[in-house]
Amino acid sequence: AELTLGVMHGIALGVVLSLLELIYVTSHRQGAVLGQLPGTEAYRDVRRHPEAGTFPGLLIWRVGGDLFFASVGQMEAGLRSSLTEIRPPIKHVLLDMGSVNFIDVSAYDELITFIKQLQSQDVTIAFARVRDTVRQDMQLAKIESLVGLADFYERVTDGVCAWQRQEHVRSQSY
């Protein structure tokens, strides 16, 4: 571009293309279905680690990065796709938020709508590894009260164990 357009126009074109690439990459974060590596408390992407075990009825989903107006739709689409593909049907979603440092207001609104949709389908949701600043914002956005204070966990393992205990209690009550 510099050779044909000149130095200043070539640099300007490079800056514009770099910004467009940055917008695309940040808005198309890749989430992942997580499974537990055998004999450990480590949870990894099941596509890259086929030995990672999943739990029937539970979807552990790692959010791929910060959520804002341009990325929250991609996160929801990936999560919805996983919810429809996995059998038996999912009854509980555990979101691993360890890679999320920031959520903007529009993403909070979308997240609230999505949580309500899941709840209307009798799918419960919980969060693991939420950073303090994000958790504080989730409280202000009323997500914590919508989901429930007890459904926030320090580790993915804690969320999985709590879900297993609830499933055990439910299976005994039938």
Side-chain angles (χ1 to χ4, degrees), residues 50-66:
E51 72 277 14
T54 58
F55 304 90
L58 171 66
L59 172 63
I60 307 168
W61 177 265
R62 181 178 57 221
V63 179
D66 296 338

Side-chain angles (χ1 to χ4, degrees), residues 1 13 38 78 83 103 145 171 173:
L13 180 61
L83 285 167
I103 305 178
S145 61
S171 66
S173 66

Side-chain angles (χ1 to χ4, degrees), residues 12-166:
L13 180 61
V15 169
V16 168
L17 290 176
S18 295
L19 287 173
L20 290 174
E21 181 182 17
L22 177 65
I23 291 169
Y24 178 80
V25 168
T26 57
S27 65
H28 288 78
R29 301 285 179 153
Q30 295 297 313
V33 175
L34 301 181
Q36 186 176 19
L37 293 178
T40 71
E41 288 188 4
Y43 293 84
R44 299 290 183 264
D45 185 343
V46 296
R47 292 174 297 182
R48 295 184 180 185
H49 297 273
E51 72 277 14
T54 58
F55 304 90
L58 171 66
L59 172 63
I60 307 168
W61 177 265
R62 181 178 57 221
V63 179
D66 296 338
L67 297 175
F68 60 102
F69 69 95
S71 66
V72 71
Q74 290 292 324
M75 186 274 301
E76 284 183 24
L79 186 50
R80 282 185 201 283
S81 174
S82 295
L83 285 167
T84 58
E85 291 173 4
I86 297 174
R87 296 287 174 247
I90 298 300
K91 291 294 178 190
H92 186 70
V93 175
L94 178 61
L95 291 179
D96 178 358
M97 303 283 284
S99 64
V100 178
N101 295 309
F102 170 77
I103 305 178
D104 76 1
V105 174
S106 58
Y108 278 121
D109 292 341
E110 288 292 320
L111 194 55
I112 288 169
T113 302
F114 185 64
I115 291 169
K116 288 179 180 178
Q117 288 172 354
L118 287 177
Q119 290 173 338
S120 72
Q121 299 167 5
D122 293 326
V123 176
T124 56
I125 190 164
F127 295 89
R129 300 186 337 128
V130 180
R131 298 185 189 280
D132 290 340
T133 55
V134 173
R135 176 81 183 265
Q136 187 176 24
D137 290 342
M138 290 177 99
Q139 290 168 340
L140 293 172
K142 307 290 188 221
I143 290 176
E144 188 179 89
S145 61
L146 178 64
V147 173
L149 181 63
D151 286 319
F152 282 82
Y153 303 97
E154 288 296 317
R155 303 176 310 153
V156 173
T157 298
D158 298 336
V160 171
C161 289
W163 174 78
Q164 288 173 326
R165 283 190 303 272
Q166 290 172 352

